[in-house]
Amino acid sequence: MSSSSSSLPLNFDNSSSSSKLPLRSIPGDCGLPFFGPIKDRFDYFYNEGRDQFFRTRMQKYQSTVFRANIPAGPSLASNPNVTVLLDAISFPILFDTSRIEKRNVLDGTYMPSTAFTGGYRVCAYLDPSEPNHALLKRLFMSSLAARHHNFIPVFRSCLTELFTTLEDDVSSKGKADFNGISDNMSFNFVFKLFCDKHPSETELGSNGPNLVTKWLFLQLAPLITLGLSMLPNVVEDLLLHTFPLPSLFVKSDYKKLYHAFYASASSILDEAEGMGIKRDEACHNLVFLAGFNAYGGMKTLFPALIKSVGLAGEKLHGQLADEIRSIVKAEGGVTFAALDKMALTKSVVYEALRIEPPVPFQYGKVKEDMVIHSHDAAFEIKKGEMIFGYQPFATKDPKVFDNPEEFVAHRFMGDGEKLLEYVYWSNGRESDDPTVENKQCPAKDLVVLLSRVMLVEFFLRYDTFDIECGTLLLGSSVTFKSLTKQPTFDHKSITHVS
């Protein structure tokens, strides 16, 4: 099997009654109540680390499906026991909302207080069977569709600010923190897209990214480790993973965010009221969509993309630059049509999403007794059990992808496009589309588009670059060490055509 093909049937049906796979008991032991989850939590965060935690158990049980305890545990989660899915065949059962309930499972075995979201269970925590889910998701999809022609020009204007800062920092300091610069750009873009103004024109000023980051941290603390050598593991575990961090710490910050969106996103809120959604509920949902889903996703998305391309080296940089510049010249600008013709650029984005998806976890509760399949066996799961998928293993399944741990820039070109069936970053297959009946990201296509535009704008300006990479609380860190400018680049000569 080459990197651009798969030996697996597309649209593999995990529920197929014709499967001849042997029925096997789910291996694994969650240990004693309370003590088992605590042990697994220390292994997950401190003794082994996240990836090794799953790899060790997969090897021990000789299975990509097994039982374990997943953070958060006592006393944040009433039941941290899950069935873990680590292969490309079992993982997609998590997308089947007819058999998997998605109520209050966005963050896994616990749910942050609704005090973080104005007292509302926002759309991300709703199951599609709940009436408000369809209303709110329809609002999101409608709002994005109405702004379709603003995607490229607004994002390009924000990228101009990003690249100016990046160049200035590399020139003056000898290095540039891409994450911080990217965070500022991402928040500015999201706010401008939904509110038609720069956040500096509101009470937020330049503080928007910091306000959202603190708000995110308090909600996601049970899923992260600070990695501070001076802080004993048992102390960090007590502080982050044992009790919920109170929303009181960010109450005033959240109010500023809410008021800024409430005052500036009147067209979206007017539409929401016309659909029968209360204005304040719509605004709290918009803040969550913009802050948690969009900005939170971009915090990991863009550094991961630049990391993958940067580490791939100068040869790929030259290939991307040649494709991008020739097509932009032929098309007369950065257009939707031009972007669609950039086969290598598209493949690179998909490969980055496969290697390091912005959201690595998926959760769901089984609605009925069922049988799920891995490559090698079938497993019975009972109604009410929690299943958990760790996406970076599922999308690096060696039975689907050749050289699965390697970033292969051309992987999704030509016949390789068939492998998009097994790219799951959006809470669905890349070949599927979001609807009000599923939990797939409503901005799925926008995320892919923005990633392509990021590369296009980059390689219109620069020939190559050098970076250093590390890890952060969530995702990768990227530090630029050098930038080689394209000597004849003239930004004014590159237009946007809708």
Side-chain angles (χ1 to χ4, degrees):
M1 180 175 62
S2 72
S3 63
S4 61
S5 64
S6 170
S7 61
L8 292 171
L10 299 183
N11 299 312
F12 185 94
D13 182 4
N14 204 321
S15 65
S16 174
S17 59
S18 63
S19 172
K20 303 301 182 182
L21 293 172
L23 189 64
R24 180 183 177 190
S25 297
I26 300 174
D29 181 7
C30 293
L32 295 172
F34 186 80
F35 296 104
I38 294 293
K39 179 185 181 301
D40 278 359
R41 194 166 73 197
F42 269 77
D43 286 345
Y44 181 95
F45 285 119
Y46 310 116
N47 300 331
E48 295 175 309
R50 186 172 68 186
D51 282 17
Q52 191 59 33
F53 176 89
F54 296 116
R55 189 173 291 112
T56 298
R57 285 151 184 78
M58 185 169 64
Q59 293 169 351
K60 176 182 178 180
Y61 304 127
Q62 290 297 292
S63 177
T64 54
V65 178
F66 55 84
R67 298 191 189 278
N69 300 289
I70 296 297
S75 57
L76 280 164
S78 60
N79 184 6
N81 305 159
V82 301
T83 295
V84 179
L85 312 179
L86 298 180
D87 63 82
I89 300 304
S90 63
F91 191 93
I93 192 65
L94 287 155
F95 309 146
D96 185 353
T97 55
S98 69
R99 294 186 293 164
I100 302 298
E101 184 179 288
K102 290 288 190 172
R103 187 188 306 262
N104 299 339
V105 298
L106 176 68
D107 305 310
T109 57
Y110 79 105
M111 178 182 167
S113 169
T114 56
F116 284 104
T117 51
Y120 289 100
R121 288 174 60 240
V122 293
C123 186
Y125 291 103
L126 301 179
D127 185 78
S129 64
E130 299 179 75
N132 259 18
H133 179 273
L135 268 178
L136 290 165
K137 192 165 184 181
R138 188 174 291 114
L139 171 66
F140 298 157
M141 295 172 71
S142 172
S143 297
L144 289 169
R147 288 156 177 77
H148 178 262
H149 293 295
N150 290 335
F151 292 164
I152 294 178
V154 172
F155 192 58
R156 292 187 74 205
S157 70
C158 293
L159 285 175
T160 297
E161 298 175 20
L162 179 147
F163 293 127
T164 298
T165 305
L166 199 65
E167 287 185 28
D168 289 346
D169 284 0
V170 170
S171 176
S172 62
K173 304 174 185 176
K175 60 181 181 180
D177 169 26
F178 178 76
N179 294 72
I181 300 170
S182 177
D183 284 354
N184 289 333
M185 180 277 297
S186 297
F187 185 82
N188 291 345
F189 168 75
V190 171
F191 196 88
K192 288 176 71 175
L193 183 67
F194 289 125
C195 300
D196 300 316
K197 63 174 65 174
H198 198 282
S200 63
E201 300 174 56
T202 73
E203 65 175 317
L204 295 177
S206 61
N207 292 324
N210 291 332
L211 300 180
V212 178
T213 298
K214 286 191 289 181
W215 176 69
L216 289 172
F217 173 78
L218 292 186
Q219 296 174 76
L220 297 176
L223 303 180
I224 63 179
T225 176
L226 299 176
L228 301 176
S229 58
M230 73 288 294
L231 187 66
N233 293 341
V234 68
V235 175
E236 182 192 87
D237 193 65
L238 180 65
L239 293 175
L240 296 186
H241 309 140
T242 307
F243 304 103
L245 297 180
S247 62
L248 182 65
F249 292 157
V250 290
K251 184 176 181 179
S252 62
D253 295 335
Y254 183 75
K255 279 186 176 180
K256 290 179 183 177
L257 290 166
Y258 175 84
H259 289 150
F261 278 92
Y262 195 91
S264 304
S266 57
S267 63
I268 296 176
L269 302 183
D270 289 344
E271 181 181 359
E273 285 192 308
M275 296 170 63
I277 305 170
K278 291 185 293 185
R279 197 173 187 88
D280 68 324
E281 181 178 8
C283 191
H284 286 297
N285 271 273
L286 180 59
V287 174
F288 193 91
L289 175 70
F292 196 109
N293 299 133
Y295 171 76
M298 290 177 186
K299 277 181 72 70
T300 58
L301 170 71
F302 294 134
L305 175 64
I306 295 300
K307 169 188 171 182
S308 293
V309 175
L311 296 181
E314 195 167 344
K315 180 179 179 181
L316 176 61
H317 301 171
Q319 292 171 340
L320 284 168
D322 289 344
E323 176 184 79
I324 288 166
R325 294 168 191 175
S326 62
I327 292 176
V328 168
K329 182 178 180 180
E331 293 292 318
V334 181
T335 67
F336 288 110
L339 292 168
D340 194 51
K341 292 181 179 180
M342 298 176 185
L344 176 59
T345 304
K346 289 194 289 186
S347 179
V348 165
V349 168
Y350 290 135
E351 181 71 341
L353 288 166
R354 181 190 73 86
I355 289 283
E356 194 170 337
V359 180
F361 314 116
Q362 291 293 338
Y363 304 85
K365 288 184 179 178
V366 177
K367 291 183 177 181
E368 60 188 27
D369 293 355
M370 61 170 31
V371 174
I372 65 168
H373 303 143
S374 67
H375 291 287
D376 309 312
F379 304 89
E380 288 184 324
I381 297 184
K382 299 297 183 182
K383 178 180 178 179
E385 293 188 26
M386 175 80 85
I387 55 177
F388 162 85
Y390 185 50
Q391 189 179 155
F393 275 42
T395 55
K396 296 175 188 171
D397 188 331
K399 294 187 177 182
V400 174
F401 297 102
D402 279 349
N403 304 314
E405 300 290 335
E406 180 184 345
F407 179 86
V408 180
H410 298 74
R411 190 184 298 275
F412 296 104
M413 295 178 68
D415 287 343
E417 287 188 33
K418 297 175 182 178
L419 288 171
L420 292 176
E421 285 277 334
Y422 305 101
V423 177
Y424 303 140
W425 70 270
S426 63
N427 198 7
R429 296 181 185 273
E430 185 60 30
S431 52
D432 292 340
D433 295 315
T435 69
V436 296
E437 289 84 21
N438 65 29
K439 293 298 290 183
Q440 191 164 25
C441 173
K444 163 184 170 271
D445 293 336
L446 175 59
V447 169
V448 174
L449 175 73
L450 298 181
S451 298
R452 294 176 188 171
V453 175
M454 168 76 79
L455 294 181
V456 167
E457 288 294 307
F458 191 97
F459 285 105
L460 286 174
R461 288 169 166 79
Y462 310 107
D463 290 332
T464 189
F465 61 104
D466 290 316
I467 57 173
E468 289 182 353
C469 300
T471 57
L472 294 174
L473 300 182
L474 296 169
S476 298
S477 67
V478 174
T479 301
F480 273 77
K481 305 297 289 184
S482 69
L483 281 164
T484 302
K485 297 184 71 172
Q486 202 275 89
T488 61
F489 172 73
D490 178 8
H491 183 266
K492 294 180 181 179
S493 69
I494 306 299
T495 61
H496 162 70
V497 182
S498 298

